[in-house]
Every structure is written in structure tokens, then in C-alpha cells.
Amino acid sequence: MTDSALPVVGWREWLSMPELNIKQIKAKVDTGARTSALHAFYVDPFQHEGAEWVRFGIHPLQHNDEFEIECEMPVKDRRMVSDSGGHCEERYVIETILTLGNYSWPAELTLTNRDSMKFRMLLGRTALEDRFLVNPAASYNIGKKTRKKRTRQDIT
């Protein structure tokens, strides 16, 4: 696909993660970040049929710590990741389907506590590569909110 044929996303987009039962989460599109990151306020590893899995909790709505979704996924990897402040931490990596508008694809996500960040999801350049172009002056080019005011049913 040539660059001109790629869809254009804005610097922030609404996306969903059907395997995690998240209908909508606001993501910051960040070409400076290699990997995508998902807010997980706790991460508990466990064994499932001889494989390493993680159970984690997500607060998908910014500024709402009461509504949470608990997820379980197989661990794809564990990696050392540097955040924007230069701090390194080991993170669990999962792979799940991301949906942005009419586009769906598998992507790797690291799990980390993003309580202090403005966005609960960071969409990194590896997930964007060969799929989208980024217009930093645009917002919500592809992923749209389903309603003006979101409720719990909108995101789960």
C-alpha cells in the first residue's frame, strides 16, 4: 500500500478492544513511543494450563477510578520499557485486537499504571506502522465517540 492510500489518524482517537470487552477508550497516538501501552492499575501473573497469564484491572474512563474492567490474557513477553521521563521498568506484554473505525488488527500492548497520565491508552508507532498516517493537527479522524455523553454501557 502506498503512503497516499493509508488512512489518516489524528493525534488522539477512540478505539476499542473487543477481546478485553472495551467498547471505547481514548488513545493518544504517539509516534515517539515504540510500543503501545494500556493502563492497568494492577497486574497479577498466574499459570494457566502451563502457560504464563496475567490478570489485570483497567479503569477505561479517565478520572473515574470506580468503574473497572478485569481482564485475563496470555503473556506474550516481558520487556524493559523506558517511559517519557527516561525511567525503565519491566512490563508484561499482551497481544490483542485493536479496532479503530472499520480497521481491526492484532497489536502488542504493555501493561502499566497510567493513572497520572492524561490518556489511559497510548498507541505507539509499531501498531501504526504500514497501517496509518498521522496528522498531528487532527483529532478523532477515524475513531468517533458513539454518543455525546458516554455511560458504562458505552465502554463495556
Side-chain angles (χ1 to χ4, degrees):
M1 190 178 267
T2 65
D3 284 353
S4 62
L6 294 174
V8 178
V9 297
W11 72 272
R12 57 186 171 176
E13 293 287 346
W14 288 100
L15 58 86
S16 66
M17 291 175 270
E19 294 174 317
L20 301 179
N21 296 316
I22 297 175
K23 289 185 181 175
Q24 286 192 319
I25 190 166
K26 187 168 52 172
K28 178 182 179 184
V29 176
D30 189 349
T31 60
R34 179 182 304 141
T35 55
S36 299
L38 177 63
H39 168 67
F41 63 92
Y42 73 86
V43 179
D44 291 326
F46 67 97
Q47 292 292 311
H48 177 69
E49 297 179 359
E52 188 175 25
W53 281 56
V54 285
R55 180 177 297 112
F56 53 98
I58 303 170
H59 294 133
L61 295 175
Q62 194 66 34
H63 308 297
N64 183 339
D65 291 342
E66 292 184 24
F67 178 63
E68 62 187 61
I69 297 173
E70 186 175 88
C71 304
E72 293 181 356
M73 293 292 288
V75 173
K76 182 165 185 182
D77 197 6
R78 281 193 262 175
R79 296 186 193 141
M80 293 302 293
V81 177
S82 295
D83 65 18
S84 59
H87 306 97
C88 283
E89 70 173 340
E90 185 177 52
R91 295 183 189 173
Y92 286 96
V93 180
I94 63 166
E95 185 173 83
T96 192
I97 300 295
L98 301 181
T99 300
L100 178 56
N102 294 323
Y103 305 94
S104 292
W105 71 101
E108 292 182 350
L109 307 175
T110 64
L111 302 175
T112 187
N113 191 318
R114 295 184 54 82
D115 269 335
S116 63
M117 304 300 200
K118 191 171 182 177
F119 292 85
R120 298 294 168 110
M121 171 82 188
L122 192 74
L123 190 58
R125 68 179 177 266
T126 303
L128 297 164
E129 190 175 12
D130 297 326
R131 289 184 180 88
F132 302 100
L133 294 177
V134 180
N135 178 350
S139 291
Y140 312 118
N141 258 17
I142 297 176
K144 306 288 184 193
K145 289 193 296 185
T146 56
R147 297 182 189 180
K148 188 170 185 161
K149 182 173 172 90
R150 290 175 295 126
T151 65
R152 287 184 181 185
Q153 289 76 28
D154 293 332
I155 59 170
T156 61

